[in-house]
Amino acid sequence: MKIYTSDIQCQSRPDRHSCEREAVNRLVIQAFGTEAELCHNADGKPYINGRPEVHISISHSIDQCLLAVSDTPIGIDSETARTQLARIANKFLTPNEIARGPHTMSELLKMWTAKEAVFKCASVSDLVISEIEVSATMDYASARGTRYAVRFITDTPERVTALASII
């Protein structure tokens, strides 16, 4: 598994989506070469055309884009701290996760990021974030009978990046 990163350079552009797309394209070229074609399936999951043996996951944060590449299903998510997580916690936490509370902002950010990474790894079209249960130790999660390893590759008060893979 390999992770590629690129800054999102959007200082003079009002169109953030274009800036994110450019950052993703830089990463795809870096990882797969100039001939690689990034595509998306019907559910929006990205893949590299003609490379069925390769699994990818993409994440954008406020200033950074990440591309995870693996030979097994992978999910990556990077999030920056924001106070709205406390306000919406009851919408994305499971009853067991709520019972383990109260949670600090840092814990909420890690749980949200882990759930997003698991969601991307699972690639189940009707899965919702509140069905994904992150363990108290935050090193694994479960959803619909499948367990996922969760690893935090960035864990600061400002930013958390999580990787998820099927156990």
Side-chain angles (χ1 to χ4, degrees):
M1 191 258 309
K2 184 153 178 152
I3 299 169
Y4 299 85
T5 63
S6 178
D7 292 336
I8 296 176
Q9 300 162 353
C10 217
Q11 292 149 354
S12 63
R13 291 191 176 163
D15 185 8
R16 178 156 175 81
H17 185 69
S18 294
C19 298
E20 290 173 351
R21 195 170 42 249
E22 287 174 10
V24 169
N25 288 337
R26 284 192 300 272
L27 295 177
V28 168
I29 289 169
Q30 183 182 356
F32 300 103
T34 57
E35 300 301 313
E37 180 185 4
L38 177 66
C39 299
H40 294 83
N41 70 17
D43 292 326
K45 184 171 179 66
Y47 66 94
I48 302 300
N49 193 30
R51 300 286 306 267
E53 78 285 4
V54 174
H55 298 267
I56 67 170
S57 182
I58 299 169
S59 181
H60 314 97
S61 65
I62 195 160
D63 60 351
Q64 185 180 63
C65 180
L66 297 102
L67 171 70
V69 179
S70 178
D71 58 357
T72 60
I74 189 86
I76 191 166
D77 191 53
S78 186
E79 300 285 343
T80 52
R82 55 194 188 281
T83 57
Q84 73 190 49
L85 287 177
R87 194 175 66 248
I88 65 167
N90 287 342
K91 294 181 193 251
F92 71 86
L93 295 178
T94 67
N96 287 338
E97 292 166 339
I98 291 169
R100 292 195 310 254
H103 299 289
T104 65
M105 184 57 65
S106 174
E107 290 169 332
L108 291 172
L109 181 59
K110 285 178 79 170
M111 284 191 279
W112 174 262
T113 307
K115 286 171 179 260
E116 287 279 337
V118 167
F119 179 83
K120 292 175 181 182
C121 181
S123 191
V124 176
S125 62
D126 63 341
L127 181 67
V128 293
I129 295 291
S130 60
E131 291 180 73
I132 300 168
E133 182 151 340
V134 178
S135 69
T137 55
M138 293 197 206
D139 59 348
Y140 71 90
S142 302
R144 296 194 181 172
T146 303
R147 282 178 52 123
Y148 301 85
V150 175
R151 185 168 55 111
F152 295 96
I153 57 173
T154 306
D155 185 4
T156 69
E158 297 82 30
R159 180 189 313 269
V160 171
T161 303
L163 280 172
S165 57
I166 297 171
I167 296 177

